[in-house]
């Protein structure tokens, strides 16, 4: 396993500046965001450190040369839309750009693209299923042809009123993953596994790793803190934003020793990307950089990786 981070937390930096920071801060890799230009629909979206619309030899060479210069790899090409949105234009745009990101991952030799399955949040899982298959079978067929693994993050995308009641991502539980992989059995179709999303749902985040060990294509390191006092007052059916908060690794309810031990037992040897969504560390660019270093310092007690960077976020 090697430590990296999700580039979405550094939107004002260029691709080279992200790589430079990663090298100085002791990271081995970065999950690089590759959103299309335009206004983001939510926090941490709309960030573009890679451009999937330019696969020219010159652009690809420049990207790889910068990775070599700084000694930092791209763990995945990341883009997280709602490809099953009830807004058909939004869904189509998301699907088309997912394909572009798969093409970029193949051309760069990264071999990995990370995203959401999506969901029409006004419908049940069963009612979403025919459209899921119609949408994702051709996408995974394309990934197979390109030799790219697609990792679906297990985030429920059900936090507030605009995502209620079903959330905007189908791939939220082992029961759904089992059904997904049965219907689309390609080994290139897998998970971008984040334990915090299972904590949010009051589920075991270690137990599924053994069953889905061959489907874990990427992993996120994000923690979550459940406010038990608020939960006791509001209940689990209240909007989750009212009783939980994302935190840096080690500052929430995930038992990282147990999780990373189970992940290692499952044979995972890929990248672990710190994902910062902790509002307590978002006051400035320097604070966000420092938050990544704090996360790295905590996780390096469990994960051997590239840690020889400077001990600051500057």
């Amino acid at each position: 396993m090697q430590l990296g981070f999700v580039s979405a937390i550094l939107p004002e930096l260029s691709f080279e500046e992200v790589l430079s920071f990663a090298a100085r801060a002791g990271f081995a890799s970065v999950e690089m965001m590759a959103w299309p230009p335009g206004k983001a629909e939510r926090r941490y979206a709309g960030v573009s450190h890679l451009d999937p619309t330019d696969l020219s030899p010159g652009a690809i060479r420049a990207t790889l040369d910068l990775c070599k210069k700084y000694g930092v790899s791209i763990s995945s090409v990341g883009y997280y839309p709602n490809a099953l949105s009830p807004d058909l234009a939004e869904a189509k745009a998301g699907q088309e750009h997912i394909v572009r990101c798969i093409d970029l991952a193949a051309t760069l030799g990264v071999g990995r693209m990370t995203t959401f399955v999506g969901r029409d949040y006004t419908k049940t899982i069963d009612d979403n299923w025919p459209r899921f298959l119609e949408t994702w079978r051709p996408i995974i067929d394309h990934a197979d042809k390109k030799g790219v693994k697609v990792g679906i993050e297990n985030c429920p995308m059900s936090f507030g009123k605009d995502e209620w009641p079903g959330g905007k991502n189908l791939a939220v539980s082992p029961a759904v993953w089992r059904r997904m992989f049965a219907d689309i059995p390609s080994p290139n179709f897998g998970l971008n596994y984040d334990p915090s999303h299972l904590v949010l749902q009051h589920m075991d985040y270690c137990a599924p790793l053994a069953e889905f060990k061959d489907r874990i294509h990427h992993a996120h390191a994000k923690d979550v803190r459940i406010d038990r006092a608020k939960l006791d007052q509001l209940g689990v059916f209240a909007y989750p934003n009212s009783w939980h908060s994302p935190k840096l690794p080690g500052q929430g309810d995930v038992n990282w020793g147990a999780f990373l031990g189970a992940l290692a037992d499952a044979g995972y040897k890929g990248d672990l990307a710190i994902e910062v969504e902790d509002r307590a560390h978002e006051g400035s660019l320097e604070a966000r950089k420092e938050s990544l270093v704090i996360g790295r310092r905590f996780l390096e007690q469990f994960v051997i990786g590239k840690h020889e960077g400077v001990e600051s976020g500057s």
Side-chain angles (χ1 to χ4, degrees):
M1 251 181 275
Q2 59 181 10
L3 282 173
F5 62 87
V6 180
S7 76
I9 199 63
L10 303 175
E12 57 271 81
L13 298 189
S14 68
F15 174 69
E16 182 169 9
E17 288 169 336
V18 171
L19 290 175
S20 177
F21 163 73
R24 297 195 313 276
F27 288 99
S29 64
V30 181
E31 180 186 356
M32 289 290 182
M33 295 298 101
W35 288 73
K39 183 180 178 180
E41 65 173 9
R42 64 180 191 272
R43 294 172 73 227
Y44 314 110
V47 179
S48 301
H49 289 118
L50 293 173
D51 181 6
T53 67
D54 186 359
L55 302 183
S56 65
I60 297 301
R61 188 180 310 110
T63 298
L64 295 175
D65 284 349
L66 286 173
C67 289
K68 183 177 180 180
K69 174 182 177 180
Y70 292 102
V72 175
S73 65
I74 298 170
S75 65
S76 180
V77 177
Y79 169 55
Y80 295 84
N82 185 354
L84 300 178
S85 171
D87 180 331
L88 298 184
E90 176 190 344
K92 185 173 186 291
Q95 295 160 21
E96 291 174 347
H97 199 70
I98 286 171
V99 170
R100 293 189 196 102
C101 289
I102 290 170
D103 290 342
L104 177 60
T107 308
L108 286 171
V110 172
R112 190 172 294 103
M113 188 265 165
T114 36
T115 189
F116 290 145
V117 159
R119 176 174 174 169
D120 181 342
Y121 61 96
T122 69
K123 296 181 179 180
T124 67
I125 290 176
D126 285 342
D127 288 341
N128 269 272
W129 210 256
R131 189 164 170 229
F132 157 67
L133 294 177
E134 179 185 357
T135 298
W136 279 93
R137 276 176 170 154
I139 291 175
I140 299 304
D141 283 346
H142 183 74
D144 287 342
K145 292 173 185 175
K146 294 290 183 175
V148 171
K149 295 183 182 299
V150 177
I152 301 297
E153 187 176 353
N154 56 301
C155 179
M157 289 304 292
S158 182
F159 301 112
K161 183 178 180 180
D162 64 323
E163 298 161 328
W164 204 258
K168 295 183 176 179
N169 188 26
L170 285 173
V172 297
S173 67
V176 176
W177 307 338
R178 205 171 289 122
R179 185 177 177 184
M180 280 172 37
F181 301 142
D183 286 354
I184 305 179
S186 167
N188 287 322
F189 192 33
L191 297 170
N192 182 14
Y193 198 99
D194 186 327
S196 71
H197 300 313
L198 295 170
V199 174
L200 174 67
Q201 297 177 86
H202 304 273
M203 299 167 72
D204 190 323
Y205 49 88
C206 293
L209 294 171
E211 177 181 352
F212 296 98
K213 62 183 181 180
D214 295 330
R215 298 286 186 166
I216 302 171
H217 296 336
H218 197 262
H220 276 176
K222 184 168 85 270
D223 217 327
V224 64
R225 184 182 300 158
I226 306 298
D227 187 325
R228 297 292 167 179
K230 288 184 178 178
L231 184 60
D232 287 343
Q233 293 300 311
L234 299 171
V236 294
F237 295 116
Y239 298 137
N241 276 344
S242 63
W243 51 263
H244 97 290
S245 54
K247 302 303 296 179
L248 299 184
Q251 298 184 16
D253 295 337
V254 175
N255 182 329
W256 287 96
F259 171 68
L260 292 172
L263 192 59
D265 287 344
Y268 184 72
K269 301 184 186 304
D271 293 270
L272 182 66
I274 297 170
E275 184 179 24
V276 175
E277 295 184 356
D278 190 335
R279 290 183 183 272
H281 296 270
E282 293 184 358
S284 67
L285 173 61
E286 291 310 309
R288 283 177 276 123
K289 287 180 175 179
E290 187 64 35
S291 73
L292 289 166
V293 175
I294 292 169
R296 191 217 77 201
R297 289 174 183 165
F298 174 78
L299 290 171
E300 67 184 5
Q301 66 184 306
F302 306 109
V303 179
I304 297 175
K306 178 185 175 184
H307 304 141
E308 63 270 18
V310 299
E311 293 297 314
S312 77
S314 59

